[in-house]
Amino acid sequence: MSAKNERLVRELLDRQGRTYAAEAGITLRDKPAPLYQVLVLSHLLSARIRASMAVAAARALFDAGMRDARKMADATWQQRVDALGEGGYRRYDERTATQLGEAAELVLDRYRGDLRRLRDAGDAGPLLREVPGIGPAGVDIFLREVQAVWPEYAPYFDRKALDGAKRLGLPVSAKTLAGLAGDAGPARLAAALVRVALDKEAGEEVRAAA
């Protein structure tokens, strides 16, 4: 590992190394509620909308009490729409409110509200794709965020994270990037790389500081 790459990653983690789950107020553990919250966040982040708006919408849903699959399913469609609107997620609020209800019902029916059962059922990627509102991007976001508590999926650097690595001139090998992450862990580095991929100026600031 070159000293230059190590400096880049250190600056990157200092400036951008906060997972999206942490930004949304999720204390990530291998427990039903936080895993479900990451699923909701992944759904919202995968839409063509600013990441900050998706995070705000997730916070609004959780603040309104929809913090697990049962509470999401029990909420009315209008309550979901209102929470999404409060978070600024208005362009897709009606469709997303419907999908969140359907997704919650599936998680309850198939996994009894506990995504650890999905983990135990086999390859999480295809199973996650069966959840309404979760496409390939949503799968990537979910596994990128939960790799800290589902280590069998680590290191997970999806295409967007690797785009950030390319922008900074870092290696695009997941194993090498995980080594550069050190004790911070691949989830934080992956999130930081995604932020750079989405914000050219953020990448330039990291390069200048390193």
Side-chain angles (χ1 to χ4, degrees), residues 193-208:
L193 290 170
V194 169
R195 294 178 193 278
V196 165
L198 296 174
D199 184 351
K200 183 178 180 181
E201 187 174 315
E204 291 172 350
E205 290 174 356
V206 168
R207 291 175 70 100

Side-chain angles (χ1 to χ4, degrees), residues 48-61:
R48 294 179 182 274
I49 198 165
R50 289 197 308 275
S52 59
M53 195 173 292
V55 169
R59 279 185 169 273
L61 286 164

Side-chain angles (χ1 to χ4, degrees), residues 28 34-35 38 141-151 153 187:
L28 184 58
L35 290 172
V38 175
I141 295 164
F142 182 86
L143 294 178
R144 192 177 74 215
E145 291 284 321
V146 304
Q147 62 180 309
V149 293
W150 288 8
Y153 291 98

Side-chain angles (χ1 to χ4, degrees), residues 174-193:
K175 183 177 180 180
T176 302
L177 288 170
L180 286 166
D183 291 341
R188 281 186 58 202
L189 179 55
L193 290 170

Side-chain angles (χ1 to χ4, degrees), residues 106 110-111 125-132 134:
L106 182 144
R110 193 171 296 178
Y111 304 112
L127 295 174
L128 287 165
R129 288 284 302 274
E130 295 174 6
V131 178
I134 301 294

Side-chain angles (χ1 to χ4, degrees), residues 12 15 18 23 26-27 32 34 45 53 58 61 67 78 93 123-124 142 144-145 151-152 166 185 196:
L12 176 62
R15 294 166 179 268
R18 190 182 188 196
E23 188 178 346
I26 301 168
T27 301
L45 282 168
M53 195 173 292
L61 286 164
R67 303 183 68 85
Q78 190 60 54
D93 56 352
D123 185 354
F142 182 86
R144 192 177 74 215
E145 291 284 321
E152 67 269 32
K166 291 175 188 174
V196 165

